[in-house]
Amino acid sequence: MSGIGLIIAFVIAIVVMIVAISKYHLHPFIALMGISLILAIVVGIPLTTIPTMVGAGFSGTFSSIGIVIILGALVGTILEKTGGALKLAEMVVRLVGRKHPDIAVELMGWVVSIPVFCDSGFVILDPIRRALQKKTGFSSVTLTVALSAGLYTSHVFIPPTPGPIAAANTIGVGEHLLLVMGIGALVSIPCLIAAYFYASYIGKKVKTVEDEASSSSDEYEKLLKSFGDLPSGFWALAPILLPIIAMALGSISSMAGWTGAMATFLAFIGTPVIALTIGVIFGVILLAMRKGMGDFYKLVDDTLRTVGPILFVTAAGGVLGKVISEAGFVGYMQQHAAVLAKVGIFFPFLVSAILKTAQGSSTVALTTTAGIMGSIADGGSMMNLLGLNTPLAGVLTVMAIAAGAMTVSHANDSYFWVVTKFGEIDMEDGYRTQSAMTGIMGVVGIIFTFILSLILL
């Protein structure tokens, strides 16, 4: 299948999946796997290749994010059981005040996700979000959406995350990476503001188990007393901060092109799996200091029970993304690029948004769209066809692609499942929260980018 038929099949598949889960309460894992298999057959993928493709989509997601989720969740469990999460919440509230925990988590996420993948960042910071919710009684949904927004914004707009770096290099502005970072930070501002207001709005409409079990001030104080003296700020921060520092150093080393033994070491500790392993080690040290090692086996077991469903649903979303990717969707976009090019700076946004919605990965949307656009140095590229042939135009094109790569996060995106499952938001509300929020941010991002293009180009 190709052309319009492919697009129609994709839209129908997504609608059927949403209805099956939200209305008929089919488990997301079964719905995703079933829709993926049916869609693969309908679009004409050879039957002999479907099993291998399904396995690749499933295992690919596990290998890229599975261990990260497990280690990050284990750090979170340890912090919750030792009082470290409560200590962090106390520190954040003391810094920003009790009335603005949503701003605190949004900005925290935005800073953390500059060097760290948003999936990893959410898992790492979720214990602080939970503790802040208990401390302030603030809407759990508002805090979840605000944290997700902060992480997601810098993930797509600001190097050294791989997506914007790869896009900048392909477009031909890799040597202007500081400019990409600066413009990316600038475009982030209206996106963060829009997400803040939407998080405040949707938090009044959607409630979760956390909201229903929200503690009163007295109950929170009792919880604090049950831990006795809380851990020090350093030991509460170490399991979270050290992995972030390790990943940041690895990203800086890669971006700067360092070589030698030190660069190799930084690249090693900068990988999310190793960085989070460091976090787990310091978490275990904290647990030992709190005389809780007798509970370590149970903590690990409870963590695995908690993240198991998240991992399987996330991997099933990876299968759907793989099916759509292999169905020829990218090729179809490339064939019709000349028609879409008439919309100017909105063209890379539209291509990226379509690819993001279709296959789930923001990084893939960024890199694939950049490949379609080509380099400013190539006279026959889409960049030159659109008249976007200067370094500044190239940087703004990266921003347009990044805005599209936000639009939208839904069931075939691993980040969607990380946010909704850790935030205890069901799938139907996940579309009202995570998907709607990413759509709003993407539209705000491209509008602001367009305004910048009118001023700067």
Side-chain angles (χ1 to χ4, degrees):
M1 183 182 292
S2 61
I4 298 299
L6 181 62
I7 297 174
I8 293 173
F10 164 66
V11 172
I12 292 174
I14 296 300
V15 171
V16 170
M17 179 187 64
I18 294 171
V19 171
I21 296 173
S22 61
K23 184 174 182 179
Y24 296 102
H25 306 292
L26 190 64
H27 194 281
F29 177 79
I30 300 298
L32 282 163
M33 293 298 290
I35 287 296
S36 299
L37 182 59
I38 293 170
L39 184 61
I41 295 171
V42 168
V43 299
I45 294 175
L47 295 179
T48 54
T49 65
I50 290 177
T52 302
M53 185 181 59
V54 169
F58 197 87
S59 62
T61 303
F62 257 104
S63 63
S64 63
I65 196 174
I67 300 175
V68 168
I69 290 179
I70 292 171
L71 293 175
L74 183 56
V75 168
T77 302
I78 292 173
L79 286 175
E80 288 179 353
K81 298 300 182 182
T82 58
L86 292 177
K87 177 66 177 182
L88 293 172
E90 292 285 308
M91 293 166 65
V92 170
V93 169
R94 196 177 303 124
L95 183 65
V96 302
R98 191 185 184 94
K99 295 182 179 180
H100 303 292
D102 48 348
I103 296 177
V105 295
E106 186 177 47
L107 293 178
M108 200 181 337
W110 183 77
V111 172
V112 166
S113 200
I114 291 175
V116 178
F117 265 81
C118 55
D119 307 72
S120 307
F122 195 95
V123 176
I124 291 170
L125 296 179
D126 189 58
I128 303 178
R129 179 195 67 81
R130 288 176 179 271
L132 278 173
Q133 197 276 330
K134 291 179 181 177
K135 167 74 174 177
T136 63
F138 219 76
S139 164
S140 170
V141 171
T142 296
L143 294 180
T144 297
V145 173
L147 176 58
S148 170
L151 289 160
Y152 204 35
T153 303
S154 51
H155 176 77
V156 298
F157 283 119
I158 306 176
T161 43
I165 283 182
N169 285 329
T170 302
I171 294 295
V173 292
E175 61 187 30
H176 302 284
L177 213 52
L178 284 178
L179 182 60
V180 177
M181 295 174 74
I183 298 293
L186 182 62
V187 176
S188 293
I189 295 172
C191 293
L192 292 172
I193 293 172
Y196 165 76
F197 284 110
Y198 185 73
S200 299
Y201 163 78
I202 199 64
K204 299 172 184 175
K205 304 291 184 181
V206 177
K207 302 299 178 185
T208 67
V209 175
E210 289 183 5
D211 290 309
E212 294 169 0
S214 182
S215 303
S216 67
S217 178
D218 289 341
E219 289 173 332
Y220 182 81
E221 293 304 321
K222 289 179 182 177
L223 182 63
L224 279 177
K225 290 179 181 178
S226 70
F227 284 97
D229 293 330
L230 293 177
S232 68
F234 170 80
W235 283 106
L237 274 171
I240 290 178
L241 190 59
L242 291 179
I244 293 171
I245 292 173
M247 285 186 270
L249 289 173
S251 296
I252 292 169
S253 175
S254 174
M255 189 170 64
W258 294 346
T259 58
M262 180 56 70
T264 301
F265 174 73
L266 292 178
F268 171 70
I269 66 170
T271 57
V273 169
I274 301 303
L276 283 166
T277 299
I278 295 171
V280 170
I281 291 171
F282 275 83
V284 171
I285 294 173
L286 173 60
L287 190 64
M289 292 171 61
R290 304 286 290 178
K291 300 182 174 20
M293 286 303 293
D295 297 325
F296 186 54
Y297 180 93
K298 186 175 184 303
L299 290 182
V300 175
D301 193 52
D302 289 344
T303 300
L304 294 176
R305 290 175 187 273
T306 300
V307 302
I310 299 172
L311 291 175
F312 284 111
V313 172
T314 300
V319 173
L320 178 60
K322 185 71 172 177
V323 169
I324 295 172
S325 176
E326 294 294 323
F329 197 88
V330 174
Y332 177 72
M333 291 299 303
Q334 291 173 327
Q335 291 170 15
H336 294 81
V339 176
L340 294 172
K342 296 177 181 178
V343 294
I345 193 73
F346 288 94
F347 169 70
F349 167 79
L350 290 172
V351 175
S352 183
I354 292 170
L355 291 175
K356 163 63 181 177
T357 305
Q359 53 75 45
S361 169
S362 295
T363 302
V364 170
L366 275 158
T367 55
T368 303
T369 306
I372 293 172
M373 295 303 297
S375 172
I376 58 175
D378 181 2
S381 68
M382 290 295 300
M383 293 296 293
N384 275 274
L385 179 63
L386 293 173
L388 302 170
N389 50 9
T390 66
L392 187 54
V395 172
L396 291 176
T397 301
V398 173
M399 296 301 108
I401 295 172
M406 303 179 88
T407 319
V408 295
S409 172
H410 67 103
N412 63 355
D413 178 11
S414 63
Y415 190 50
F416 175 88
W417 294 109
V418 169
V419 172
T420 55
K421 292 301 181 183
F422 277 88
E424 299 191 49
I425 301 171
D426 63 36
M427 178 167 175
E428 185 176 1
D429 287 333
Y431 275 82
R432 297 173 62 193
T433 54
Q434 174 71 1
S435 299
M437 179 269 293
T438 55
I440 291 169
M441 292 174 74
V443 171
V444 169
I446 185 56
I447 290 173
F448 190 72
T449 300
F450 175 66
I451 292 172
L452 287 179
S453 73
L454 296 178
I455 298 170
L456 300 176
L457 297 183

